[in-house]
Every structure is written in structure tokens, then in C-alpha cells.
Amino acid sequence: MEIEKIGVIGAGQMGNGIAHVMALAGYDVLLTDVSQDALDAAIALIDRNLTRQVSRDKISQTDKDATMARIKTTLTLTDLGASDLIIEAATERETVKQAIFEDLQPHLQPHTILTSNTSSISITRLASRTDRPEKFMGFHFMNPVPVMQLVELIRGIATDEETFKACKTVVDNLGKTAASAEDFPAFIVNRILMPMINEAVYTLYEGVGNVRSIDESMKLGANHPMGPLELADFIGLDTCLAIMNVLHDGLADTKYRPCPLLTKYVEAGWLGRKTDRGFYDYRGETPIPSR
Ligand code: CAA
């Protein structure tokens, strides 16, 4: 099956990166969001990130211009009905995602593949509420999308081989690597990464180290590009907590219990970089550790 037109739902952190890499790889992209401001901000950010790639000689100015020309935006979700492949990257709430798929369904072509960039919600359950569980799968990018090499492809119980192969071809065309994951809570990357981040928060909570010593230990002692608390701020503490809850509920094992300190930061609205405050305070020139 030939995929040419790609619909991306949600112009946030992940959606704009997905639109960026898809258009750069030559796909026609239609990006939608509920707010015009979010669409405008996404286009401006894609432009800035492409400019950064031009300035580092990763791509040419012609590539950049062609990429920008391939991205269109719309506030009307149902305009995405003409797409061959749809990647949903809306808010990480199951009711929101389900409502989006319900609204889209009557407008889709018979061959349209539906996917979700969810980091932890059951693909099988999302798929079961659509008219095409065999043409539904998880298409999970890592942040920052233009930089990270991996895409997790998650098959629901009903996903057919043709759908998997079509999505795998798209990942290959992006120049990225696909990891095939089974549909169990948080898949592969987050199943491993989030308990590590949660353990770093416990290490802070119990006073074993402070924010700076924990992050430095993992950067210098384990060669991680970012410390776990810095990374948690980058991902969003609300997202980290939501994924820990999915692991805890879905696997019913106390080893996944979210650290109370993580819950407290989320309750305070200290969600990391997106709110300028998390384990670090980003309101000044340089990030200041919060404890
Ligand atoms: N668009 C395009 N290029 C970008 C970019 C963006 N948004 N962000 C960074 N880059 C490029 C830079 O231009 C730079 O390119 P060169 O190598 O050509 O110079 C390169 O990426 C490195 O960037 P920087 O020099 O600015 O910064 P850095 O060296 O500190 O690297 C980082 C930044 C790539 C984010 C690095 O710190 C890193 O890998 N961090 C870990 C990220 C990670 O673990 N992500 C996964 C999170 S988990 C997830 O996403 C799953 C989930 O569901 C929660």
C-alpha cells in the first residue's frame, strides 16, 4: 500500500516534530489542532528547527523550503479524511483520543490506516472502538522527534501484517529505526525508562542525593546525555506520572508505584520545561535545581 498523504492530529511537542520529519521525508502533511495559535506556533517551531538543521549542514535550504511547502494546517479534524495514514498525537487522555477517532471515522477512506503516538495507552483498546482494528496501530516517536532515531511500532491484537508493513516502510523512509513492541503497558522504552526516572525521584525524596548530584551521577557515571530529573522535566512530569500510573494499574506490581514527590510536583503545577518549573526552575538565565 502506497502512503503519500499523512494527517497529524495535535500540534504540540510531538505533533510538530512528527509533521517536521514526515514532510522532510517527502510526505504531504496535513496538521490539525483545536487552536489556531497552536498551529501557528507549531509552524514557527518547525521553521526554526529546520533552520537549525540547515545551519548545521544537515539539510539544504531547498530541502527546508520544500519541507515547509509540504505542510498544510487545518482546524477541521475531518479534513484529514483524505489521508492514507493518520497519526494521532493529541493530549494523552484516553477519552480525548477516543472522541477524535469517533469524529474522524465517518470521513475516512476504506484504506486509511489509523495510528496513535500514545506513550502508554492500550492500542488494542483504542483500536477496538474504531471500525478498523486491523488497520490500527501504535506509532510512537521519541522526543525530540527530529533527533531521536527510534520509532516504536506497536501492534494491537487485531493489527494485520499489511498495516504493520506499511508503517514500517514509512519509518524506513524517515531514515529512522523501528522497534516492534507488543501491546503491554508502556511498551518497551517507557517500561524501562520511566521506572528509572521514578527511582531517581525516590533517590531525591529519600535524600540520597540532590537534583544536581543525581543528574550528574547519571550523566558522568552512566553516560546518559541528560540526567534523569532533567529528562523528566524535558518529557513533562505530568506525562511521567501518567505513565507510572499506567504501569502500576496495568501490571499491578508495587514496584511501579509513583514516587509521592513526583505526584507533589505535578499537583503544584510544576510540570517541567513546559511550565518553566519542575525539578529545575527555568525562569532565569540558567536552570536552578529546586532542591
Ligand atoms: N529539531 C532539530 N534538531 C534538533 C532539535 C530539534 N527539535 N533538538 C536538537 N536538535 C539537534 C541539534 O541541532 C544538534 O545537532 P548536531 O548534532 O548536528 O549539532 C543535536 O540535535 C544536539 O542538540 P544540542 O547540541 O542542542 O543539545 P545536546 O547535545 O544537549 O542534545 C538532546 C540534546 C538530543 C535532546 C540530548 O540531550 C538527548 O539525547 N537527550 C535525551 C533525550 C531522550 O532521552 N529522549 C527520549 C525521551 S522519552 C520519549 O520521548 C518517550 C515518551 O513517550 C516519553
Side-chain angles (χ1 to χ4, degrees), residues 175-237:
K176 296 193 186 286
T177 302
S180 168
E182 291 301 318
D183 183 25
F184 288 102
F187 321 130
I188 296 175
V189 171
N190 284 325
R191 170 81 179 259
I192 298 168
L193 181 65
M194 286 303 158
M196 185 203 67
I197 287 177
N198 195 46
E199 200 57 34
V201 186
Y202 268 112
T203 310
L204 181 66
Y205 176 63
E206 290 168 10
V208 182
N210 60 29
V211 169
R212 208 181 284 286
S213 67
I214 291 168
D215 274 350
E216 271 189 4
S217 296
M218 294 308 286
K219 278 201 283 195
L220 304 179
N223 259 5
H224 289 192
M226 284 179 171
L229 301 172
E230 188 189 0
L231 181 57
D233 277 357
F234 180 67
I235 293 168
L237 304 192

Side-chain angles (χ1 to χ4, degrees), residues 8-72:
V8 179
I9 303 167
Q13 187 165 261
M14 299 307 286
N16 83 69
I18 296 169
H20 171 143
V21 297
M22 290 295 179
L24 185 57
Y27 294 104
D28 289 325
V29 174
L30 186 56
L31 177 65
T32 187
D33 200 286
V34 287
S35 124
Q36 186 62 46
D37 285 350
L39 288 173
D40 294 345
I43 293 298
L45 186 57
I46 294 170
D47 194 285
R48 271 207 308 281
N49 284 332
L50 285 166
T51 301
R52 170 157 48 167
Q53 288 176 298
V54 173
S55 69
R56 306 213 185 190
D57 285 332
K58 293 269 156 98
I59 61 171
S60 67
Q61 182 63 41
T62 316
D63 293 335
K64 182 197 155 183
D65 295 342
T67 301
M68 290 305 292
R70 281 193 283 267
I71 304 176
K72 305 275 182 294

Side-chain angles (χ1 to χ4, degrees), residues 125-137:
R125 203 163 57 230
L126 286 174
S128 72
R129 295 173 186 143
T130 71
D131 62 349
R132 60 194 69 209
E134 69 291 345
K135 290 195 180 306
F136 192 106
M137 63 183 300

